[in-house]
Amino acid sequence: MAIRINTATFQSDLYRSFAFPQPKPLRSPKFAMASTIGSATTKVESTKKPFTPPREVHQQVLHSMPPQKIEIFKSMEGWAEDNILVHLKPVEKCWQAQDFLPDPASDGFMEQVEELRARAKEIPDDYFVVLVGDMITEEALPTYQTMLNTLDGVRDETGASPTSWAIWTRAWTAEENRHGDLLHQYLYLSGRVDMRQIQKTIQYLIGSGMDPRTENSPYLGFIYTSFQERATFISHGNTARHAKEHGDVKLAQMCGIIAADEKRHETAYTKIVEKLFEIDPDGTVLAFADMMRKKISMPAHLMYDGRDDNLFEHFSAVAQRLGVYTAKDYADILEFLVGRWKVADLTGLSGEGRKAQDYVCGLAPRIRRLEERNSAKAKESVNVPFSWIFDREVKL
């Protein structure tokens, strides 16, 4: 995700973070991912560094959790096996992308593709911008597994560790991998989008990584994932609703089945944080407040397609306008988590813990008031071309 409702600037922070900083300079030569190819005439030395993030990330803070708290997560491994791994589905009972797509082994494959493309023609460009952005976010899954494996006390130390935490991370990744597969193949068959530009965007994004500011702390990491899984549940649920409104029931089913996975994963992550509130209420509420003060950065906030330095801002502006993911959703998720974890009912906190409790319990109303003020000040939207749809323009 400076933020203003219904403007490109506001929408970017909606998805990247609900923050209100002064605009930062973007793609300086020092931090650009794209390399420069020398011309045939004059060679100019490039200072660009390939494969670095397209914008400067925050100062990196490492291993902020006190080492003794690692034991909390070691002691929770049996609990995680009984209470978290149950939210995974056996592979044989999972849906697969092919369940929703034309069967290439069928004699009617071409007719099925033509039917899919006929339905896709009735869907407007702005919907495809949001669907592509959501798909690209899903396709950056290697980054998210990497992020989980930075967390002290729960990381997969070997790549095939038998601990409950490691099993969860690998199996969660495997389930999530189907989401990008399904949307990627649907978009390829639809004929509505520029697949090469989309695939470049995915490569840029995975190469850039993400900057969630979780500091190797599973407290921060699991609060972050609790928020993110609910955000993606809402986003995919809304794309399902829009697809149905545009007459494509099969696409609605695809988005809806992905949303159902996200909801199940949200349940698992929120249960972990609920348990942390039971074991260490003071440390957990401090982590919750810390994460919310830093703002929840959306996983794809370093998105870039090789052309548009503000691609993520523009994508999230369209999502805000369509009501796929909005400032209201951000506030609603925060309020939901405060209620889910019964933060207002916590007792026996330290002085700092009580301050953190007051902060998170009062934050959602403040966000909504800020949204209302910015809505009143919103400027007229502009049209911006998106390379994902062959540079056709879409209103922000």
Side-chain angles (χ1 to χ4, degrees):
M1 114 342 248
I3 298 183
R4 291 169 292 176
I5 291 284
N6 294 331
T7 69
T9 309
F10 176 78
Q11 327 305 349
S12 67
D13 285 326
L14 229 331
Y15 268 79
R16 184 184 335 122
S17 66
F18 198 89
F20 297 83
Q22 293 298 315
K24 295 181 180 180
L26 298 182
R27 197 167 301 278
S28 66
K30 181 179 179 181
F31 289 91
M33 276 190 68
S35 60
T36 303
I37 300 176
S39 67
T41 53
T42 306
K43 287 189 177 181
V44 179
E45 182 178 355
S46 172
T47 60
K48 295 181 180 181
K49 296 180 179 180
F51 313 116
T52 55
R55 64 185 76 231
E56 298 185 38
V57 297
H58 296 94
Q59 181 178 355
Q60 304 293 289
V61 178
L62 303 177
H63 306 289
S64 63
M65 183 177 71
Q68 61 270 24
K69 292 205 172 185
I70 291 177
E71 293 306 314
I72 291 176
F73 294 91
K74 299 296 184 186
S75 71
M76 287 173 62
E77 286 185 5
W79 174 88
E81 181 176 2
D82 295 336
N83 293 274
I84 301 304
L85 298 188
V86 295
H87 293 289
L88 297 167
K89 281 190 173 182
V91 173
E92 296 302 327
K93 294 185 178 181
C94 283
W95 61 265
Q96 299 297 333
Q98 188 54 57
D99 298 337
F100 301 91
L101 296 166
D103 181 3
S106 166
D107 291 338
F109 175 66
M110 295 307 297
E111 289 79 7
Q112 294 170 33
V113 172
E114 287 303 318
E115 290 173 6
L116 183 153
R117 291 166 71 94
R119 294 192 303 270
K121 284 182 180 179
E122 303 303 316
I123 300 175
D125 280 343
D126 52 7
Y127 178 90
F128 272 102
V129 166
V130 174
L131 190 66
V132 168
D134 283 353
M135 180 273 279
I136 289 168
T137 302
E138 294 286 355
E139 288 282 61
L141 186 61
T143 297
Y144 315 144
Q145 184 176 21
T146 298
M147 188 278 283
L148 288 173
N149 281 328
T150 68
L151 303 180
D152 294 332
V154 299
R155 67 172 59 90
D156 185 346
E157 296 283 1
T158 67
S161 169
T163 68
S164 300
W165 300 117
I167 291 169
W168 166 263
T169 296
R170 293 194 302 269
W172 170 85
T173 303
E175 289 193 354
E176 289 275 335
N177 187 61
R178 298 168 303 143
H179 302 172
D181 282 351
L182 176 56
L183 294 178
H184 198 132
Q185 292 175 56
Y186 166 81
L187 288 165
Y188 171 80
L189 293 172
S190 76
R192 288 291 304 278
V193 296
D194 186 333
M195 289 306 301
R196 192 173 197 281
Q197 279 301 119
I198 290 170
Q199 290 159 356
K200 280 174 54 180
T201 308
I202 295 168
Q203 185 174 354
Y204 272 117
L205 181 56
I206 295 173
S208 293
M210 64 184 293
D211 183 26
R213 305 174 75 186
T214 48
E215 303 176 8
N216 306 103
S217 167
Y219 284 83
L220 299 176
F222 290 139
I223 289 166
Y224 178 87
T225 51
S226 296
F227 197 105
Q228 278 305 320
E229 292 288 7
R230 188 161 184 85
T232 51
F233 158 67
I234 290 169
S235 180
H236 287 299
N238 284 328
T239 55
R241 174 174 56 83
H242 280 290
K244 186 175 181 180
E245 291 171 355
H246 293 306
D248 194 334
V249 176
K250 290 192 176 181
L251 177 57
Q253 290 174 338
M254 296 179 207
C255 297
I257 200 72
I258 292 172
D261 273 0
E262 304 291 8
K263 181 63 177 174
R264 182 161 47 85
H265 297 159
E266 172 208 319
T267 300
Y269 284 118
T270 55
K271 281 176 69 174
I272 295 171
V273 179
E274 181 181 41
K275 187 66 173 177
L276 289 174
F277 269 111
E278 178 186 321
I279 295 171
D280 182 14
D282 208 67
T284 308
V285 76
L286 288 169
F288 192 13
D290 180 36
M291 202 71 247
M292 297 314 302
R293 285 192 178 97
K294 292 187 292 193
K295 319 301 185 292
I296 298 293
S297 300
M298 293 297 138
H301 65 276
L302 298 178
M303 184 184 287
Y304 180 57
D305 63 350
R307 300 182 189 178
D308 185 356
D309 287 338
N310 300 303
L311 179 59
F312 188 84
E313 287 80 352
H314 294 155
F315 151 62
S316 52
V318 178
Q320 164 77 20
R321 180 173 61 79
L322 294 185
V324 170
Y325 184 72
T326 68
K328 180 182 181 300
D329 293 322
Y330 187 101
D332 288 349
I333 293 169
L334 171 57
E335 191 169 68
F336 170 84
L337 293 176
V338 167
R340 171 74 173 77
W341 295 328
K342 298 180 174 60
V343 179
D345 299 334
L346 295 175
T347 59
L349 300 174
S350 66
E352 289 301 310
R354 288 193 297 274
K355 290 179 183 177
Q357 181 185 40
D358 291 342
Y359 173 76
V360 294
C361 289
L363 185 56
R366 288 172 53 197
I367 292 172
R368 290 195 182 97
R369 289 194 297 271
L370 195 55
E371 175 195 358
E372 291 170 2
R373 288 200 298 269
N374 281 283
S375 294
K377 298 176 183 177
K379 297 179 180 179
E380 186 176 351
S381 297
V382 297
N383 293 336
V384 169
F386 282 85
S387 69
W388 303 336
I389 53 171
F390 304 100
D391 292 311
R392 293 191 296 271
E393 292 190 351
V394 166
K395 181 180 177 182
L396 299 185

